[in-house]
């Protein structure tokens, strides 16, 4: 299948409109119709009902494969371009909001001192692997919650290399005077009825429910920014509890360690290619730091 035609099909199916897809792609509606017809002729199947524009059963099945196929295509193109470009003094790095824990930040600083110009930008956790596979970034840093020593569950985004670089304990940020703030540790089961802060930098409420194996965990306030101190201050002021890695709250707010379930905050590096600036920085980040803050330790996998 022609990936160009497949991309057009995905957009038409997503927008439920030939004209909307044409406007977004910069084509005429007739050109988009011809591309869909060519794809259907190639497969010998009708992929889209026209009125209304909705995928057929065959179209729904193709959509299931389209995302991974197109991502693999972008990954292959990016890999060839990386190989042709050779070593360079610049590197684009993407990181999920809580991936730059102190140990990682020190590694990036060391790379800069070695003459490598690093451009760092933040993206959603689920976008990190895709950005690296497609060539939009040379290296990714992604964080998540997992059992100690277990790898994160990352999407299959192509032939990427990866390993864990840091793990640390999680703490619940409580406002001053909260009835549980005096405890030495908390279980999530103690907090199912509490109100939580929903924010990109915090552990998602849905993940809390998954970890606790039940419902609850209602959101009190939604904060759409990515400033960690703002999220911590909102939680400390009573706008909802928040679960964060211990280093994110040090010296800022009261954090009570999470003791059940036994999970940790983990950061992993993902990159493509055996050589070049990304591989060099990955190797540097893989080295255990000379010292780590309490509750933080480097771990390769």
């Amino acid at each position: 299948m022609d990936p160009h035609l497949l991309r057009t099909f995905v957009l038409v199916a997503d927008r439920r409109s030939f004209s909307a897809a044409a406007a977004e792609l910069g084509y005429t509606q007739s050109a988009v119709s011809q591309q869909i017809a060519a794809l259907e002729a190639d497969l010998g199947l009708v992929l889209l009902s026209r009125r209304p524009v909705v995928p057929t059963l065959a179209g729904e099945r193709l959509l299931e494969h389209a995302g991974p196929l197109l991502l693999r295509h972008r990954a292959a193109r990016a890999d060839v371009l990386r190989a042709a470009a050779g070593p360079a003094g610049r590197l684009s790095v993407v990181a999920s909001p809580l991936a730059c824990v102190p140990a990682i930040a020190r590694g990036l600083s060391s790379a800069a001192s070695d003459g490598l110009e690093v451009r760092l930008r933040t993206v959603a956790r689920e976008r990190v692997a895709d950005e690296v596979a497609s060539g939009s970034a040379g290296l990714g840093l992604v964080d998540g919650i997992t059992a100690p020593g277990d790898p994160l569950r990352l999407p299959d985004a192509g032939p990427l290399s990866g390993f864990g670089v840091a793990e640390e304990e999680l703490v619940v940020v409580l406002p001053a005077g909260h009835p549980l703030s005096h405890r030495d540790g908390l279980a999530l089961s103690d907090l199912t009825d509490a109100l939580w802060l929903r924010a990109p930098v915090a552990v998602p409420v849905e993940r809390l429910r998954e970890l606790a194996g039940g419902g609850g965990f209602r959101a009190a306030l939604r904060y759409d920014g990515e400033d960690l101190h703002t999220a911590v201050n909102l939680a400390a002021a009573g706008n909802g509890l928040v679960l964060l890695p211990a280093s994110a709250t040090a010296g800022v707010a009261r954090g009570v360690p999470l003791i059940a379930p036994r999970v940790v905050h983990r950061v992993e590096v993902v990159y493509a290619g055996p050589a070049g600036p990304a591989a060099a920085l990955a190797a540097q980040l893989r080295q255990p730091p000379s010292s780590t803050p309490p509750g933080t330790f480097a771990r390769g996998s």
Side-chain angles (χ1 to χ4, degrees):
M1 286 179 290
D2 186 334
H4 178 69
L5 301 181
L6 189 58
R7 280 192 293 270
T8 300
F9 165 70
V10 170
L11 189 59
V12 173
D14 181 66
R15 300 296 184 266
R16 295 293 196 268
S17 167
F18 281 76
S19 59
E24 192 165 332
L25 291 168
Y27 300 152
T28 64
Q29 183 171 335
S30 175
V32 168
S33 296
Q34 290 173 15
Q35 290 179 30
I36 298 301
L39 182 61
E40 291 178 327
D42 179 37
L43 293 173
L45 296 166
V46 176
L47 300 174
L48 290 168
S49 299
R50 269 40 176 192
R51 294 183 181 178
V53 178
V54 293
T56 63
L57 288 177
E60 290 285 2
R61 181 58 59 88
L62 181 58
L63 284 172
E64 294 175 9
H65 295 284
L69 283 172
L70 291 173
L71 181 57
R72 291 275 184 167
H73 182 264
R74 294 198 304 271
R77 183 177 186 275
D79 187 50
V80 171
L81 291 174
R82 276 190 293 263
R90 295 182 181 180
L91 178 64
S92 176
V93 177
V94 290
S96 53
L98 286 178
C100 281
V101 295
I104 304 301
R106 286 194 296 274
L108 295 177
S109 175
S110 177
S113 67
D114 290 341
L116 179 63
E117 181 183 334
V118 177
R119 180 191 176 206
L120 176 67
R121 56 190 173 88
T122 303
V123 299
R125 289 180 181 90
E126 60 272 15
R127 287 293 310 158
V128 173
D130 285 359
E131 292 267 342
V132 177
S134 66
S136 298
L139 182 140
L141 302 167
V142 60
D143 77 290
I145 308 304
T146 185
D150 283 357
L152 299 177
R153 292 175 294 178
L154 300 179
D156 179 12
L160 299 179
S161 300
F163 53 87
V165 287
E167 289 183 2
E168 65 177 304
E169 71 176 357
L170 290 152
V171 298
V172 181
V173 178
L174 301 168
H178 191 282
L180 298 178
S181 61
H182 65 282
R183 292 199 183 181
D184 294 327
L186 289 170
L188 272 185
S189 58
D190 297 329
L191 305 169
T192 54
D193 295 330
L195 295 176
W196 291 77
L197 177 68
R198 185 186 288 272
V201 294
V203 177
V205 172
E206 294 77 12
R207 182 70 170 124
L208 295 174
R209 295 184 186 125
E210 182 182 338
L211 290 169
F217 301 100
R218 293 175 296 141
L221 176 70
R222 183 186 182 101
Y223 167 56
D224 288 330
E226 294 183 351
D227 182 73
L228 182 58
H229 284 173
T230 298
V232 172
N233 288 334
L234 286 170
N239 292 287
L241 308 185
V242 65
L243 184 64
L244 292 169
S247 61
T249 65
V252 180
R254 164 69 170 157
V256 179
L258 181 72
I259 56 175
R262 181 71 180 99
V263 290
V264 294
H265 178 256
R266 179 178 171 93
V267 179
E268 294 185 1
V269 167
V270 291
Y271 64 101
L281 178 56
Q284 198 165 18
L285 291 172
R286 193 164 198 160
Q287 299 303 313
S290 56
S291 62
T292 56
T296 304
F297 55 97
R299 178 186 293 274
S301 63

